[in-house]
Amino acid sequence: MIEEINNTIPILKEGGLLLYPTDTVWGIGCDATNADAVAKVYQLKRRPDAKALICLVSDVAMLERYIPEIADVTYDIIDLATKPTTIVYDNPAGIAKNLVAEDNTLAIRVASDEFCRKLIRKFGKPLVSTSANISGMPTPQSYKEISDEILKGVDYIVNLHRDKKGGQPSSIIRISKNGVVKVIRK
C-alpha cells in the first residue's frame, strides 16, 4: 500500500488522473484544487461540467479546511453513518472553481477506505472521486468492467484491490448551514 501511495503522489502533484479503488466503487480521481486536472476528468468522462463531482477528504479536520461553516448535525451524521455517505455543503473554499456546482455547493465524503484515507492524508488535499465510466454508461462493479477508454485515459492505475467487487455508490445528503438535512440519494 505504501508503495502505491508513493507512486500516486507525483501523478497528483503534476495534475494527472488516477484510477483507484475507493470506499464505494473504482473511481477516477485528481487533485480537487487543480482546475486543469478537474477539467481532464470531465473530458475523459464526457460529462458536462455543470454536473458536479464528489470529493474525498481524509478526515473531519481536512473537511473543516475547505468548508468554512459546518452545521453541528454534520459531525453526528459522519460518526453514525453505517455506509459511505457524501454530504453536499454550501460555500466551499480553496477548491477548483470548476468542481463547485452552480449553486456554490460541493459534495464531499470523508473516506472510509484505508488506502484512500492514507493517500489523501499524505497528499494533503482532497481528491476528486467519480465513478470510472463514461457519463451515462453503467458504473463498473469491478476493475474488469472498466472500459479501455477510461483505462487509457488516466495517468496511473493503482495496483490494489483489482479483484474487489464494487459496492454501491454512496448515499448523498445535503446539509444547509442551519442544519436542515435533505436526502438526495439513499
Side-chain angles (χ1 to χ4, degrees), residues 14 27 34 40 44 59 67 82 90 96 117 119 149 167 169-170:
E14 293 165 12
N34 181 329
K40 288 186 214 174
L44 177 59
D59 50 41
I67 304 298
T82 57
D90 293 321
R117 278 196 328 269
L119 171 61
E149 184 173 354
S170 66

Side-chain angles (χ1 to χ4, degrees), residues 163-182:
D163 56 348
K164 173 183 168 184
K165 293 287 183 205
Q168 295 298 311
S170 66
S171 296
I172 301 177
I173 62 174
R174 181 169 182 170
I175 302 176
S176 62
K177 286 180 281 193
N178 62 2
V180 175
V181 177
K182 178 183 176 188

Side-chain angles (χ1 to χ4, degrees), residues 15-82:
L17 302 186
L18 303 178
L19 184 61
Y20 68 115
T22 73
D23 46 359
T24 55
V25 297
W26 273 84
I28 300 169
C30 69
D31 176 353
T33 67
N34 181 329
D36 291 338
V38 172
K40 288 186 214 174
V41 173
Y42 283 118
Q43 184 178 17
L44 177 59
K45 284 186 65 86
R46 290 192 243 140
R47 182 176 175 141
D49 61 8
K51 240 183 141 186
L53 301 171
I54 291 172
C55 287
L56 295 180
V57 294
S58 58
D59 50 41
V60 170
M62 182 178 281
L63 173 68
E64 290 171 339
R65 290 201 307 262
Y66 295 94
I67 304 298
E69 296 180 56
I70 299 175
D72 289 341
V73 68
T74 306
Y75 298 100
D76 291 334
I77 290 170
I78 291 170
D79 286 343
L80 300 173
T82 57

Side-chain angles (χ1 to χ4, degrees), residues 151-170:
L151 293 170
K152 291 175 183 170
V154 298
D155 299 295
Y156 187 76
I157 300 171
V158 172
N159 192 19
L160 292 173
H161 310 301
R162 292 201 179 169
D163 56 348
K164 173 183 168 184
K165 293 287 183 205
Q168 295 298 311
S170 66

